[in-house]
């Protein structure tokens, strides 16, 4: 169950494979170096919000209403190519600084066979490096299998923006919205935790309906519930 935390408040985040998400910071505190000493460092919140953790308590993060994304390793994001620097592309992911994407960070990419990206190309990528003193780095494949697994350039479709909280809600398989939309018309969706959602449908009116529903369900846009969304969709000619 989520609990409210304030900046500077200590968080009981402990796990052998602990991964901290947005709003949390692991403090560097000198500890005993003898055998049997505990290396677990204290964790504090850096912003106000609701403290959440995964079912096995290995991933912890603070859910707030911020629209500025803070990159976290292994998170999936939607970015837009903003330029090129040597063999790398610079990608806007809505963070304080653009991310770097290596030309070889794609399935099957070689020095002679690279994706033909252009400024404005939309990508579904995974954050491979996130550090406060370095620009974030992206990759467009699964780090373990080296397969694309859905990552790469997103062609066509439409990208809409939402709150960071909404993007995480949509990643929950138990959330009602995406299954509800899929029962009304065929659609492809890619959700980035950076507050960007890519939607692709067969007809423009279906894309408009999907985007308007996302905006209406967003806690920042009114937080419409399932019953009202069904009524809303029923009033549209789809």
């Amino acid at each position: 169950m989520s609990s409210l935390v304030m900046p500077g408040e200590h968080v009981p985040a402990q796990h052998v494979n602990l991964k901290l998400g947005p709003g949390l910071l692991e403090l560097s505190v000198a500890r005993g170096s003898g055998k049997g000493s505990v290396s677990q460092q204290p964790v504090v919140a850096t912003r106000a919000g609701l403290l959440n953790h995964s079912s096995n308590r290995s991933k912890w993060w603070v859910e707030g209403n911020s629209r500025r994304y803070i990159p976290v390793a292994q998170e999936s994001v939607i970015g837009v190519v903003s330029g090129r620097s040597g063999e790398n592309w610079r990608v806007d992911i809505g963070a304080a600084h653009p991310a770097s994407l290596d030309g070889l960070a794609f399935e099957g990419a070689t020095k002679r066979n690279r994706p033909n990206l252009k400024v404005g190309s939309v990508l579904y990528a995974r954050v491979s490096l996130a550090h406060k003193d370095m620009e974030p780095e992206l990759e467009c494949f699964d780090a373990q299998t080296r397969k694309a697994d859905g990552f790469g350039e997103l062609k066509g479709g439409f990208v809409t923006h939402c709150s960071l909280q909404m993007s995480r809600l949509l990643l929950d398989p138990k959330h009602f919205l995406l299954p509800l939309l899929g029962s009304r018309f065929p659609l492809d969706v890619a959700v980035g935790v950076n507050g960007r959602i890519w939607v692709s449908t067969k007809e423009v009116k279906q894309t408009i309906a999907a985007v308007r529903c996302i905006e209406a369900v967003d806690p920042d846009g009114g937080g419409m519930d399932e019953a009202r969304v069904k009524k809303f969709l029923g009033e549209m000619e789809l």
Side-chain angles (χ1 to χ4, degrees):
M1 183 176 180
S2 301
S3 59
L4 180 65
V5 293
M6 301 299 290
E9 185 174 340
H10 283 261
V11 172
Q14 294 185 352
H15 195 277
V16 64
N17 294 318
L18 181 64
K19 293 183 179 179
L20 300 180
L24 295 176
L25 175 66
E26 189 172 38
L27 300 178
S28 297
V29 179
R31 297 289 186 89
S33 58
K35 293 184 178 181
S37 61
V38 179
S39 60
Q40 186 73 53
Q41 302 292 331
V43 176
V44 298
T46 59
R47 69 185 186 193
L50 294 177
L51 178 65
N52 290 272
H53 59 73
S54 59
S55 57
N56 66 353
R57 303 178 71 88
S58 65
K59 297 180 180 180
W60 293 68
W61 69 93
V62 174
E63 198 77 73
N65 60 357
S66 171
R67 284 186 174 270
R68 170 59 62 84
Y69 173 63
I70 301 175
V72 176
Q74 304 307 311
E75 288 191 335
S76 300
V77 297
I78 291 177
V80 179
V81 176
S82 59
R84 186 159 186 169
S85 177
E87 300 298 326
N88 298 344
W89 283 285
R90 299 186 70 76
V91 183
D92 170 25
I93 59 173
H97 304 284
S100 175
L101 175 64
D102 192 298
L104 299 177
F106 294 82
E107 179 184 357
T110 65
K111 290 186 177 180
R112 294 186 178 182
N113 180 29
R114 304 182 185 209
N116 184 27
L117 301 178
K118 300 178 180 179
V119 173
S121 294
V122 179
L123 300 169
Y124 190 46
R126 186 194 307 274
V127 178
S128 58
L129 175 66
H131 191 280
K132 63 178 182 178
D133 297 323
M134 301 174 64
E135 69 177 15
E137 294 183 6
L138 305 177
E139 59 189 13
C140 287
F141 54 64
D142 185 284
Q144 296 181 337
T145 64
R146 307 291 291 186
K147 300 294 184 180
D149 288 341
F151 294 105
E153 184 178 5
L154 297 173
K155 298 182 179 180
F158 179 80
V159 176
T160 184
H161 295 244
C162 65
S163 67
L164 301 182
Q165 182 180 2
M166 182 60 185
S167 62
R168 292 188 182 275
L169 287 175
L170 290 180
L171 287 172
D172 183 349
K174 297 180 181 179
H175 195 272
F176 72 88
L177 183 57
L178 295 184
L180 175 59
L181 293 175
S183 69
R184 299 301 179 97
F185 49 81
L187 79 164
D188 293 321
V189 178
V191 179
V193 296
N194 57 331
R196 296 178 182 179
I197 303 171
W198 176 83
V199 179
S200 178
T201 65
K202 292 183 178 180
E203 300 182 31
V204 174
K205 62 181 180 180
Q206 295 171 344
T207 299
I208 294 174
V211 170
R212 290 184 64 184
C213 285
I214 291 171
E215 293 174 345
V217 175
D218 193 328
D220 279 6
M224 185 179 289
D225 59 22
E226 184 174 0
R228 288 191 292 167
V229 172
K230 288 182 178 179
K231 181 180 179 182
F232 174 71
L233 287 172
E235 295 173 348
M236 300 187 70
E237 297 181 0
L238 298 174

